[in-house]
PDB file of all heavy atoms in Angstrom:
ATOM      1  N   GLY A  18     -94.933  -1.672  36.181  1.00  0.00           N
ATOM      2  CA  GLY A  18     -93.554  -1.717  36.672  1.00  0.00           C
ATOM      3  C   GLY A  18     -92.616  -1.339  35.539  1.00  0.00           C
ATOM      4  O   GLY A  18     -92.912  -1.599  34.368  1.00  0.00           O
ATOM      5  N   THR A  19     -91.474  -0.754  35.864  1.00  0.00           N
ATOM      6  CA  THR A  19     -90.563  -0.348  34.777  1.00  0.00           C
ATOM      7  C   THR A  19     -89.167  -0.950  34.916  1.00  0.00           C
ATOM      8  O   THR A  19     -88.256  -0.538  34.207  1.00  0.00           O
ATOM      9  CB  THR A  19     -90.468   1.190  34.638  1.00  0.00           C
ATOM     10  OG1 THR A  19     -89.805   1.705  35.799  1.00  0.00           O
ATOM     11  CG2 THR A  19     -91.830   1.822  34.460  1.00  0.00           C
ATOM     12  N   TYR A  20     -89.014  -1.924  35.793  1.00  0.00           N
ATOM     13  CA  TYR A  20     -87.716  -2.599  35.886  1.00  0.00           C
ATOM     14  C   TYR A  20     -87.434  -3.282  34.535  1.00  0.00           C
ATOM     15  O   TYR A  20     -88.262  -4.038  34.031  1.00  0.00           O
ATOM     16  CB  TYR A  20     -87.735  -3.630  37.017  1.00  0.00           C
ATOM     17  CG  TYR A  20     -86.453  -4.404  37.126  1.00  0.00           C
ATOM     18  CD1 TYR A  20     -85.296  -3.787  37.601  1.00  0.00           C
ATOM     19  CD2 TYR A  20     -86.375  -5.728  36.728  1.00  0.00           C
ATOM     20  CE1 TYR A  20     -84.107  -4.484  37.679  1.00  0.00           C
ATOM     21  CE2 TYR A  20     -85.190  -6.436  36.804  1.00  0.00           C
ATOM     22  CZ  TYR A  20     -84.053  -5.804  37.282  1.00  0.00           C
ATOM     23  OH  TYR A  20     -82.883  -6.498  37.358  1.00  0.00           O
ATOM     24  N   ARG A  22     -87.221  -1.804  31.641  1.00  0.00           N
ATOM     25  CA  ARG A  22     -87.807  -1.078  30.497  1.00  0.00           C
ATOM     26  C   ARG A  22     -86.892   0.095  30.099  1.00  0.00           C
ATOM     27  O   ARG A  22     -87.284   1.239  30.132  1.00  0.00           O
ATOM     28  CB  ARG A  22     -89.226  -0.555  30.821  1.00  0.00           C
ATOM     29  CG  ARG A  22     -90.221  -1.553  31.358  1.00  0.00           C
ATOM     30  CD  ARG A  22     -90.838  -2.378  30.240  1.00  0.00           C
ATOM     31  NE  ARG A  22     -89.977  -3.390  29.702  1.00  0.00           N
ATOM     32  CZ  ARG A  22     -89.863  -4.644  30.168  1.00  0.00           C
ATOM     33  NH1 ARG A  22     -90.539  -5.030  31.207  1.00  0.00           N
ATOM     34  NH2 ARG A  22     -89.059  -5.516  29.591  1.00  0.00           N
ATOM     35  N   ASP A  43     -94.311   2.791  38.068  1.00  0.00           N
ATOM     36  CA  ASP A  43     -93.392   2.514  39.167  1.00  0.00           C
ATOM     37  C   ASP A  43     -91.954   2.489  38.652  1.00  0.00           C
ATOM     38  O   ASP A  43     -91.582   1.627  37.861  1.00  0.00           O
ATOM     39  CB  ASP A  43     -93.738   1.140  39.776  1.00  0.00           C
ATOM     40  CG  ASP A  43     -92.832   0.805  40.941  1.00  0.00           C
ATOM     41  OD1 ASP A  43     -93.112   1.287  42.055  1.00  0.00           O
ATOM     42  OD2 ASP A  43     -91.832   0.081  40.746  1.00  0.00           O
ATOM     43  N   TYR A  48     -83.256   1.547  38.713  1.00  0.00           N
ATOM     44  CA  TYR A  48     -83.689   0.912  37.459  1.00  0.00           C
ATOM     45  C   TYR A  48     -83.156   1.662  36.241  1.00  0.00           C
ATOM     46  O   TYR A  48     -83.200   1.143  35.136  1.00  0.00           O
ATOM     47  CB  TYR A  48     -85.217   0.862  37.317  1.00  0.00           C
ATOM     48  CG  TYR A  48     -85.984   0.160  38.397  1.00  0.00           C
ATOM     49  CD1 TYR A  48     -87.367   0.289  38.483  1.00  0.00           C
ATOM     50  CD2 TYR A  48     -85.347  -0.645  39.344  1.00  0.00           C
ATOM     51  CE1 TYR A  48     -88.083  -0.346  39.468  1.00  0.00           C
ATOM     52  CE2 TYR A  48     -86.064  -1.267  40.334  1.00  0.00           C
ATOM     53  CZ  TYR A  48     -87.437  -1.112  40.399  1.00  0.00           C
ATOM     54  OH  TYR A  48     -88.157  -1.729  41.385  1.00  0.00           O
ATOM     55  N   LYS A  73     -88.177   5.394  43.813  1.00  0.00           N
ATOM     56  CA  LYS A  73     -87.620   4.815  45.046  1.00  0.00           C
ATOM     57  C   LYS A  73     -86.186   5.276  45.218  1.00  0.00           C
ATOM     58  O   LYS A  73     -85.426   5.340  44.244  1.00  0.00           O
ATOM     59  CB  LYS A  73     -87.636   3.268  44.987  1.00  0.00           C
ATOM     60  CG  LYS A  73     -88.952   2.707  44.537  1.00  0.00           C
ATOM     61  CD  LYS A  73     -88.988   1.187  44.606  1.00  0.00           C
ATOM     62  CE  LYS A  73     -90.105   0.648  43.766  1.00  0.00           C
ATOM     63  NZ  LYS A  73     -89.824   0.621  42.320  1.00  0.00           N
ATOM     64  N   HIS A 106     -86.227   2.308  49.023  1.00  0.00           N
ATOM     65  CA  HIS A 106     -86.266   1.093  48.197  1.00  0.00           C
ATOM     66  C   HIS A 106     -86.024  -0.187  49.017  1.00  0.00           C
ATOM     67  O   HIS A 106     -86.702  -1.189  48.843  1.00  0.00           O
ATOM     68  CB  HIS A 106     -85.222   1.211  47.085  1.00  0.00           C
ATOM     69  CG  HIS A 106     -85.487   0.330  45.924  1.00  0.00           C
ATOM     70  ND1 HIS A 106     -85.072   0.638  44.650  1.00  0.00           N
ATOM     71  CD2 HIS A 106     -86.115  -0.868  45.802  1.00  0.00           C
ATOM     72  CE1 HIS A 106     -85.443  -0.322  43.818  1.00  0.00           C
ATOM     73  NE2 HIS A 106     -86.069  -1.250  44.494  1.00  0.00           N
ATOM     74  N   TRP A 107     -85.043  -0.112  49.882  1.00  0.00           N
ATOM     75  CA  TRP A 107     -84.713  -1.222  50.782  1.00  0.00           C
ATOM     76  C   TRP A 107     -84.253  -0.622  52.100  1.00  0.00           C
ATOM     77  O   TRP A 107     -83.681   0.480  52.096  1.00  0.00           O
ATOM     78  CB  TRP A 107     -83.535  -2.046  50.224  1.00  0.00           C
ATOM     79  CG  TRP A 107     -83.879  -2.977  49.114  1.00  0.00           C
ATOM     80  CD1 TRP A 107     -83.937  -2.686  47.789  1.00  0.00           C
ATOM     81  CD2 TRP A 107     -84.235  -4.358  49.234  1.00  0.00           C
ATOM     82  NE1 TRP A 107     -84.300  -3.794  47.073  1.00  0.00           N
ATOM     83  CE2 TRP A 107     -84.480  -4.847  47.941  1.00  0.00           C
ATOM     84  CE3 TRP A 107     -84.360  -5.243  50.318  1.00  0.00           C
ATOM     85  CZ2 TRP A 107     -84.863  -6.165  47.685  1.00  0.00           C
ATOM     86  CZ3 TRP A 107     -84.725  -6.558  50.059  1.00  0.00           C
ATOM     87  CH2 TRP A 107     -84.973  -7.012  48.756  1.00  0.00           C
ATOM     88  N   SER A 138     -90.290   0.168  51.061  1.00  0.00           N
ATOM     89  CA  SER A 138     -90.335  -1.052  50.266  1.00  0.00           C
ATOM     90  C   SER A 138     -89.433  -2.076  50.942  1.00  0.00           C
ATOM     91  O   SER A 138     -88.383  -1.709  51.485  1.00  0.00           O
ATOM     92  CB  SER A 138     -89.846  -0.738  48.847  1.00  0.00           C
ATOM     93  OG  SER A 138     -89.775  -1.908  48.081  1.00  0.00           O
ATOM     94  N   ASN A 139     -89.843  -3.326  50.925  1.00  0.00           N
ATOM     95  CA  ASN A 139     -89.068  -4.400  51.551  1.00  0.00           C
ATOM     96  C   ASN A 139     -88.892  -4.175  53.051  1.00  0.00           C
ATOM     97  O   ASN A 139     -87.850  -4.539  53.620  1.00  0.00           O
ATOM     98  CB  ASN A 139     -87.703  -4.548  50.862  1.00  0.00           C
ATOM     99  CG  ASN A 139     -87.848  -4.907  49.402  1.00  0.00           C
ATOM    100  OD1 ASN A 139     -88.384  -5.948  49.070  1.00  0.00           O
ATOM    101  ND2 ASN A 139     -87.394  -4.019  48.511  1.00  0.00           N
ATOM    102  N   GLN A 161     -94.073  -1.627  49.641  1.00  0.00           N
ATOM    103  CA  GLN A 161     -94.026  -2.419  48.413  1.00  0.00           C
ATOM    104  C   GLN A 161     -93.132  -3.625  48.656  1.00  0.00           C
ATOM    105  O   GLN A 161     -91.987  -3.458  49.071  1.00  0.00           O
ATOM    106  CB  GLN A 161     -93.475  -1.552  47.267  1.00  0.00           C
ATOM    107  CG  GLN A 161     -93.416  -2.289  45.946  1.00  0.00           C
ATOM    108  CD  GLN A 161     -92.859  -1.461  44.787  1.00  0.00           C
ATOM    109  OE1 GLN A 161     -91.893  -1.873  44.155  1.00  0.00           O
ATOM    110  NE2 GLN A 161     -93.446  -0.324  44.503  1.00  0.00           N
ATOM    111  N   TYR A 187     -94.890  -6.412  44.317  1.00  0.00           N
ATOM    112  CA  TYR A 187     -93.960  -6.537  43.194  1.00  0.00           C
ATOM    113  C   TYR A 187     -93.784  -8.024  42.865  1.00  0.00           C
ATOM    114  O   TYR A 187     -94.129  -8.882  43.669  1.00  0.00           O
ATOM    115  CB  TYR A 187     -92.667  -5.762  43.415  1.00  0.00           C
ATOM    116  CG  TYR A 187     -91.590  -6.270  44.356  1.00  0.00           C
ATOM    117  CD1 TYR A 187     -90.898  -7.450  44.144  1.00  0.00           C
ATOM    118  CD2 TYR A 187     -91.202  -5.486  45.433  1.00  0.00           C
ATOM    119  CE1 TYR A 187     -89.864  -7.860  44.980  1.00  0.00           C
ATOM    120  CE2 TYR A 187     -90.173  -5.881  46.286  1.00  0.00           C
ATOM    121  CZ  TYR A 187     -89.512  -7.073  46.055  1.00  0.00           C
ATOM    122  OH  TYR A 187     -88.497  -7.473  46.889  1.00  0.00           O
ATOM    123  N   LEU A 188     -93.295  -8.295  41.647  1.00  0.00           N
ATOM    124  CA  LEU A 188     -93.368  -9.661  41.093  1.00  0.00           C
ATOM    125  C   LEU A 188     -94.802 -10.208  41.182  1.00  0.00           C
ATOM    126  O   LEU A 188     -95.034 -11.343  41.616  1.00  0.00           O
ATOM    127  CB  LEU A 188     -92.400 -10.625  41.793  1.00  0.00           C
ATOM    128  CG  LEU A 188     -91.009 -10.768  41.144  1.00  0.00           C
ATOM    129  CD1 LEU A 188     -90.113  -9.600  41.477  1.00  0.00           C
ATOM    130  CD2 LEU A 188     -90.350 -12.062  41.533  1.00  0.00           C
ATOM    131  N   PRO A 189     -95.797  -9.402  40.822  1.00  0.00           N
ATOM    132  CA  PRO A 189     -97.193  -9.827  41.011  1.00  0.00           C
ATOM    133  C   PRO A 189     -97.565 -11.034  40.160  1.00  0.00           C
ATOM    134  O   PRO A 189     -98.517 -11.742  40.478  1.00  0.00           O
ATOM    135  CB  PRO A 189     -97.994  -8.587  40.581  1.00  0.00           C
ATOM    136  CG  PRO A 189     -97.089  -7.861  39.642  1.00  0.00           C
ATOM    137  CD  PRO A 189     -95.702  -8.071  40.195  1.00  0.00           C
ATOM    138  N   ILE A 190     -96.792 -11.266  39.076  1.00  0.00           N
ATOM    139  CA  ILE A 190     -97.043 -12.476  38.274  1.00  0.00           C
ATOM    140  C   ILE A 190     -95.842 -13.421  38.362  1.00  0.00           C
ATOM    141  O   ILE A 190     -95.632 -14.258  37.493  1.00  0.00           O
ATOM    142  CB  ILE A 190     -97.373 -12.116  36.811  1.00  0.00           C
ATOM    143  CG1 ILE A 190     -96.312 -11.159  36.231  1.00  0.00           C
ATOM    144  CG2 ILE A 190     -98.750 -11.483  36.701  1.00  0.00           C
ATOM    145  CD1 ILE A 190     -96.461 -10.907  34.753  1.00  0.00           C
ATOM    146  N   ALA A 191     -95.064 -13.243  39.439  1.00  0.00           N
ATOM    147  CA  ALA A 191     -93.927 -14.133  39.724  1.00  0.00           C
ATOM    148  C   ALA A 191     -93.037 -14.339  38.498  1.00  0.00           C
ATOM    149  O   ALA A 191     -92.572 -15.461  38.233  1.00  0.00           O
ATOM    150  CB  ALA A 191     -94.416 -15.466  40.286  1.00  0.00           C
ATOM    151  N   ARG A 192     -92.816 -13.250  37.773  1.00  0.00           N
ATOM    152  CA  ARG A 192     -91.955 -13.273  36.580  1.00  0.00           C
ATOM    153  C   ARG A 192     -92.304 -14.412  35.623  1.00  0.00           C
ATOM    154  O   ARG A 192     -91.424 -15.098  35.106  1.00  0.00           O
ATOM    155  CB  ARG A 192     -90.476 -13.323  36.984  1.00  0.00           C
ATOM    156  CG  ARG A 192     -90.050 -12.021  37.628  1.00  0.00           C
ATOM    157  CD  ARG A 192     -88.545 -11.885  37.757  1.00  0.00           C
ATOM    158  NE  ARG A 192     -88.191 -10.591  38.301  1.00  0.00           N
ATOM    159  CZ  ARG A 192     -87.105 -10.357  39.035  1.00  0.00           C
ATOM    160  NH1 ARG A 192     -86.251 -11.311  39.292  1.00  0.00           N
ATOM    161  NH2 ARG A 192     -86.850  -9.140  39.476  1.00  0.00           N
ATOM    162  N   GLY A 193     -93.591 -14.638  35.432  1.00  0.00           N
ATOM    163  CA  GLY A 193     -94.033 -15.620  34.438  1.00  0.00           C
ATOM    164  C   GLY A 193     -93.995 -17.065  34.923  1.00  0.00           C
ATOM    165  O   GLY A 193     -94.153 -17.985  34.127  1.00  0.00           O
ATOM    166  N   GLU A 213    -101.835 -15.508  34.814  1.00  0.00           N
ATOM    167  CA  GLU A 213    -101.282 -14.204  35.235  1.00  0.00           C
ATOM    168  C   GLU A 213    -102.421 -13.226  35.538  1.00  0.00           C
ATOM    169  O   GLU A 213    -102.368 -12.481  36.519  1.00  0.00           O
ATOM    170  CB  GLU A 213    -100.366 -13.634  34.150  1.00  0.00           C
ATOM    171  CG  GLU A 213     -99.058 -14.379  33.958  1.00  0.00           C
ATOM    172  CD  GLU A 213     -99.202 -15.704  33.210  1.00  0.00           C
ATOM    173  OE1 GLU A 213    -100.239 -15.900  32.528  1.00  0.00           O
ATOM    174  OE2 GLU A 213     -98.288 -16.541  33.314  1.00  0.00           O
ATOM    175  N   ILE A 228     -98.112  -4.211  40.325  1.00  0.00           N
ATOM    176  CA  ILE A 228     -97.361  -3.447  39.317  1.00  0.00           C
ATOM    177  C   ILE A 228     -96.617  -4.376  38.351  1.00  0.00           C
ATOM    178  O   ILE A 228     -95.393  -4.350  38.267  1.00  0.00           O
ATOM    179  CB  ILE A 228     -96.384  -2.455  40.001  1.00  0.00           C
ATOM    180  CG1 ILE A 228     -95.544  -3.152  41.096  1.00  0.00           C
ATOM    181  CG2 ILE A 228     -97.141  -1.273  40.601  1.00  0.00           C
ATOM    182  CD1 ILE A 228     -94.365  -2.306  41.604  1.00  0.00           C
ATOM    183  N   PRO A 229     -97.363  -5.184  37.586  1.00  0.00           N
ATOM    184  CA  PRO A 229     -96.692  -6.072  36.627  1.00  0.00           C
ATOM    185  C   PRO A 229     -95.970  -5.284  35.546  1.00  0.00           C
ATOM    186  O   PRO A 229     -96.345  -4.145  35.264  1.00  0.00           O
ATOM    187  CB  PRO A 229     -97.856  -6.850  36.001  1.00  0.00           C
ATOM    188  CG  PRO A 229     -99.032  -5.925  36.121  1.00  0.00           C
ATOM    189  CD  PRO A 229     -98.814  -5.192  37.418  1.00  0.00           C
ATOM    190  N   THR A 230     -94.978  -5.901  34.936  1.00  0.00           N
ATOM    191  CA  THR A 230     -94.354  -5.276  33.772  1.00  0.00           C
ATOM    192  C   THR A 230     -94.226  -6.294  32.647  1.00  0.00           C
ATOM    193  O   THR A 230     -94.281  -7.507  32.868  1.00  0.00           O
ATOM    194  CB  THR A 230     -92.971  -4.678  34.087  1.00  0.00           C
ATOM    195  OG1 THR A 230     -92.573  -3.865  32.972  1.00  0.00           O
ATOM    196  CG2 THR A 230     -91.898  -5.743  34.316  1.00  0.00           C
ATOM    197  N   SER A 231     -94.055  -5.789  31.456  1.00  0.00           N
ATOM    198  CA  SER A 231     -93.753  -6.618  30.289  1.00  0.00           C
ATOM    199  C   SER A 231     -93.208  -5.692  29.215  1.00  0.00           C
ATOM    200  O   SER A 231     -93.513  -4.503  29.192  1.00  0.00           O
ATOM    201  CB  SER A 231     -95.022  -7.312  29.770  1.00  0.00           C
ATOM    202  OG  SER A 231     -94.731  -7.956  28.541  1.00  0.00           O
ATOM    203  N   GLY A 232     -92.395  -6.279  28.321  1.00  0.00           N
ATOM    204  CA  GLY A 232     -91.928  -5.514  27.169  1.00  0.00           C
ATOM    205  C   GLY A 232     -92.804  -5.816  25.952  1.00  0.00           C
ATOM    206  O   GLY A 232     -92.534  -5.315  24.868  1.00  0.00           O
ATOM    207  N   GLN A 233     -93.820  -6.658  26.132  1.00  0.00           N
ATOM    208  CA  GLN A 233     -94.628  -7.094  24.990  1.00  0.00           C
ATOM    209  C   GLN A 233     -96.032  -6.494  25.041  1.00  0.00           C
ATOM    210  O   GLN A 233     -96.773  -6.730  26.009  1.00  0.00           O
ATOM    211  CB  GLN A 233     -94.728  -8.623  24.992  1.00  0.00           C
ATOM    212  CG  GLN A 233     -93.368  -9.305  25.009  1.00  0.00           C
ATOM    213  CD  GLN A 233     -93.491 -10.811  24.889  1.00  0.00           C
ATOM    214  OE1 GLN A 233     -94.350 -11.319  24.188  1.00  0.00           O
ATOM    215  NE2 GLN A 233     -92.630 -11.528  25.595  1.00  0.00           N
ATOM    216  N   ARG A 236     -99.022  -8.591  26.221  1.00  0.00           N
ATOM    217  CA  ARG A 236     -99.021  -8.888  27.661  1.00  0.00           C
ATOM    218  C   ARG A 236     -99.319  -7.627  28.484  1.00  0.00           C
ATOM    219  O   ARG A 236     -99.977  -7.690  29.517  1.00  0.00           O
ATOM    220  CB  ARG A 236     -97.667  -9.466  28.063  1.00  0.00           C
ATOM    221  CG  ARG A 236     -97.492 -10.894  27.622  1.00  0.00           C
ATOM    222  CD  ARG A 236     -96.115 -11.377  27.960  1.00  0.00           C
ATOM    223  NE  ARG A 236     -95.980 -12.814  27.769  1.00  0.00           N
ATOM    224  CZ  ARG A 236     -94.864 -13.476  27.986  1.00  0.00           C
ATOM    225  NH1 ARG A 236     -93.787 -12.837  28.405  1.00  0.00           N
ATOM    226  NH2 ARG A 236     -94.810 -14.773  27.804  1.00  0.00           N
ATOM    227  N   SER A 239    -103.000  -7.479  28.293  1.00  0.00           N
ATOM    228  CA  SER A 239    -103.760  -8.537  28.990  1.00  0.00           C
ATOM    229  C   SER A 239    -103.567  -8.412  30.508  1.00  0.00           C
ATOM    230  O   SER A 239    -104.507  -8.616  31.272  1.00  0.00           O
ATOM    231  CB  SER A 239    -103.411  -9.929  28.467  1.00  0.00           C
ATOM    232  OG  SER A 239    -102.260 -10.425  29.091  1.00  0.00           O
ATOM    233  N   ASN A 240    -102.382  -8.018  30.946  1.00  0.00           N
ATOM    234  CA  ASN A 240    -102.191  -7.822  32.397  1.00  0.00           C
ATOM    235  C   ASN A 240    -103.120  -6.715  32.907  1.00  0.00           C
ATOM    236  O   ASN A 240    -103.696  -6.816  33.991  1.00  0.00           O
ATOM    237  CB  ASN A 240    -100.734  -7.473  32.714  1.00  0.00           C
ATOM    238  CG  ASN A 240     -99.782  -8.637  32.442  1.00  0.00           C
ATOM    239  OD1 ASN A 240    -100.199  -9.786  32.356  1.00  0.00           O
ATOM    240  ND2 ASN A 240     -98.499  -8.331  32.301  1.00  0.00           N
ATOM    241  N   VAL A 266     -86.738 -12.593  45.173  1.00  0.00           N
ATOM    242  CA  VAL A 266     -85.802 -11.493  45.455  1.00  0.00           C
ATOM    243  C   VAL A 266     -85.388 -11.586  46.929  1.00  0.00           C
ATOM    244  O   VAL A 266     -86.176 -11.284  47.825  1.00  0.00           O
ATOM    245  CB  VAL A 266     -86.469 -10.117  45.159  1.00  0.00           C
ATOM    246  CG1 VAL A 266     -85.481  -8.981  45.424  1.00  0.00           C
ATOM    247  CG2 VAL A 266     -86.964 -10.066  43.716  1.00  0.00           C
TER     248      VAL A 266
HETATM  249  N1  LIG B   1     -89.320  -2.684  45.377  1.00  0.00           N
HETATM  250  C1  LIG B   1     -88.538  -3.642  44.929  1.00  0.00           C
HETATM  251  O1  LIG B   1     -87.555  -4.028  45.564  1.00  0.00           O
HETATM  252  C2  LIG B   1     -88.870  -4.288  43.614  1.00  0.00           C
HETATM  253  C3  LIG B   1     -88.249  -5.500  43.227  1.00  0.00           C
HETATM  254  C4  LIG B   1     -88.603  -6.072  42.005  1.00  0.00           C
HETATM  255  C5  LIG B   1     -89.535  -5.437  41.189  1.00  0.00           C
HETATM  256  N2  LIG B   1     -90.104  -4.246  41.571  1.00  0.00           N
HETATM  257  C6  LIG B   1     -91.098  -3.551  40.713  1.00  0.00           C
HETATM  258  O2  LIG B   1     -92.130  -4.466  40.391  1.00  0.00           O
HETATM  259  C7  LIG B   1     -92.288  -4.550  38.990  1.00  0.00           C
HETATM  260  C8  LIG B   1     -92.730  -5.943  38.615  1.00  0.00           C
HETATM  261  O3  LIG B   1     -91.780  -6.914  39.036  1.00  0.00           O
HETATM  262  P1  LIG B   1     -90.925  -7.776  38.012  1.00  0.00           P
HETATM  263  O4  LIG B   1     -90.781  -7.009  36.778  1.00  0.00           O
HETATM  264  O5  LIG B   1     -89.689  -8.223  38.659  1.00  0.00           O
HETATM  265  O6  LIG B   1     -91.835  -9.085  37.833  1.00  0.00           O
HETATM  266  P2  LIG B   1     -93.268  -9.410  37.171  1.00  0.00           P
HETATM  267  O7  LIG B   1     -94.007  -8.195  36.772  1.00  0.00           O
HETATM  268  O8  LIG B   1     -93.924 -10.405  38.088  1.00  0.00           O
HETATM  269  O9  LIG B   1     -92.839 -10.232  35.875  1.00  0.00           O
HETATM  270  C9  LIG B   1     -92.303  -9.629  34.744  1.00  0.00           C
HETATM  271  C10 LIG B   1     -91.780 -10.741  33.845  1.00  0.00           C
HETATM  272  O10 LIG B   1     -92.838 -11.623  33.482  1.00  0.00           O
HETATM  273  C11 LIG B   1     -93.010 -11.658  32.058  1.00  0.00           C
HETATM  274  N3  LIG B   1     -94.455 -11.456  31.793  1.00  0.00           N
HETATM  275  C12 LIG B   1     -95.135 -10.294  31.806  1.00  0.00           C
HETATM  276  N4  LIG B   1     -96.438 -10.495  31.551  1.00  0.00           N
HETATM  277  C13 LIG B   1     -96.592 -11.825  31.373  1.00  0.00           C
HETATM  278  C14 LIG B   1     -97.701 -12.649  31.074  1.00  0.00           C
HETATM  279  N5  LIG B   1     -98.919 -12.114  30.927  1.00  0.00           N
HETATM  280  N6  LIG B   1     -97.492 -13.976  30.939  1.00  0.00           N
HETATM  281  C15 LIG B   1     -96.265 -14.533  31.108  1.00  0.00           C
HETATM  282  N7  LIG B   1     -95.158 -13.785  31.402  1.00  0.00           N
HETATM  283  C16 LIG B   1     -95.324 -12.448  31.520  1.00  0.00           C
HETATM  284  C17 LIG B   1     -92.197 -10.531  31.492  1.00  0.00           C
HETATM  285  O11 LIG B   1     -91.524 -10.908  30.299  1.00  0.00           O
HETATM  286  P3  LIG B   1     -91.838 -10.131  28.908  1.00  0.00           P
HETATM  287  O12 LIG B   1     -91.276  -8.757  29.058  1.00  0.00           O
HETATM  288  O13 LIG B   1     -91.138 -10.971  27.909  1.00  0.00           O
HETATM  289  O14 LIG B   1     -93.334 -10.131  28.763  1.00  0.00           O
HETATM  290  C18 LIG B   1     -91.165 -10.240  32.589  1.00  0.00           C
HETATM  291  O15 LIG B   1     -90.008 -11.028  32.347  1.00  0.00           O
HETATM  292  C19 LIG B   1     -90.914  -4.143  38.444  1.00  0.00           C
HETATM  293  O16 LIG B   1     -90.968  -3.770  37.089  1.00  0.00           O
HETATM  294  C20 LIG B   1     -90.557  -3.033  39.385  1.00  0.00           C
HETATM  295  O17 LIG B   1     -91.212  -1.836  38.990  1.00  0.00           O
HETATM  296  C21 LIG B   1     -89.800  -3.698  42.777  1.00  0.00           C
END
Side-chain angles (χ1 to χ4, degrees):
T19 68
Y20 177 71
R22 308 279 75 88
D43 181 82
Y48 302 168
K73 312 185 198 78
H106 201 152
W107 283 86
S138 175
N139 299 298
Q161 181 181 124
Y187 76 64
L188 268 78
I190 51 172
R192 291 193 176 150
E213 290 76 19
I228 49 168
T230 192
S231 172
Q233 305 185 36
R236 285 176 170 179
S239 84
N240 293 341
V266 181

